[in-house]
Amino acid sequence: MSTTESTRPATLDAATLREMIDSGRAPRLLDVRTPAEFETSHIPGAYNVPLDLLKEHREELRNHLDEDVVLICRSGARATQAEQALAGVGLPNLKVLGGGMLAWQAAHAPIKQGKQRWDLERQVRLVAGSIVLASVLGSVFVPGLKWVAGFIGAGLTFAALTNTCAMGMMLGKLPYNRGASCDLDTIVGQLRDGTGGRA
């Protein structure tokens, strides 16, 4: 097995996960998107554990996750980062929902809907595009502003190459993307009490 294969997380497709849930063998579902994204739509019974909080408190969370765990995000990228963080503290039985919520919705699987908000990727496109547009237009009057557009382009290239996004992480901390129940004590209480999927 090559190094690339050994570091690739185990995935579970939407159809298999749906069969497991329908048959009463549901794994613990951790949705690592922002609270705003989770509130918009999520798999019934999932727990919202935003990626930044999961990374920061993975050791504490590990004590409440001793069963099979499926990690969920929009497309699979953030769930893969969460899998790496939890695997790093010795948590076994981790899987990533292949294709994330996009695949789950494409399979017409059940979702719980709430207040509609923009997902984080759409917010990044809006902010990055607006900055590039403003700096290019502004460079007519202040030629040095073109370098702001170049900086954003370099940042987006780096984000694609490393599969991380600094702008997304910053936007995820804004009040629009946070929720009142987005703290470690609340999440641990939900995991302990089995009250996932509340939003």
Side-chain angles (χ1 to χ4, degrees):
M1 179 182 291
S2 72
T3 306
T4 307
E5 289 174 3
S6 66
T7 59
R8 189 176 299 147
T11 59
L12 193 66
D13 64 63
T16 304
L17 179 57
R18 187 174 184 180
E19 287 174 19
M20 292 172 73
I21 293 169
D22 291 345
S23 69
R25 298 177 294 119
R28 185 72 65 110
L29 305 174
L30 297 187
D31 191 318
V32 300
R33 297 175 299 155
T34 66
E37 290 173 294
F38 182 80
E39 181 184 342
T40 296
S41 67
H42 60 268
I43 299 172
Y47 298 83
N48 185 217
V49 184
L51 180 59
D52 60 342
L53 190 136
L54 181 141
K55 285 181 172 181
E56 184 179 344
H57 299 286
R58 60 185 172 246
E59 303 238 357
E60 296 97 323
L61 291 168
R62 191 223 182 284
N63 298 328
H64 302 282
L65 300 171
D66 55 354
E67 58 215 57
D68 292 336
V69 174
V70 175
L71 299 156
I72 304 158
C73 67
R74 180 178 182 273
S75 63
R78 285 179 276 175
T80 298
Q81 292 178 42
E83 187 274 340
Q84 292 166 352
L86 291 173
V89 293
L91 191 64
N93 306 322
L94 296 168
K95 291 187 176 54
V96 171
L97 176 60
M101 284 299 292
L102 295 175
W104 185 260
Q105 290 170 318
H108 304 289
I111 59 171
K112 184 172 182 181
Q113 299 230 351
K115 181 180 175 184
Q116 296 299 300
R117 298 189 192 204
W118 283 16
D119 62 55
L120 203 54
E121 184 179 308
R122 187 175 180 190
Q123 292 175 50
V124 168
R125 290 191 310 255
L126 173 71
V127 172
S130 297
I131 292 170
V132 169
L133 179 63
S135 61
V136 168
L137 292 175
S139 70
V140 171
F141 304 105
V142 181
L145 284 178
K146 66 183 176 201
W147 294 109
V148 174
F151 177 75
I152 295 296
L156 293 173
T157 301
F158 180 78
L161 292 173
T162 62
N163 203 21
T164 62
C165 183
M167 186 180 292
M169 288 185 276
M170 288 187 294
L171 290 172
K173 295 181 184 305
L174 292 176
Y176 174 82
N177 290 313
R178 303 307 278 180
S181 63
C182 187
D183 63 80
L184 182 64
D185 292 335
T186 301
I187 291 168
V188 167
Q190 290 174 348
L191 290 169
R192 191 180 317 112
D193 300 340
T195 55
R198 292 187 178 170

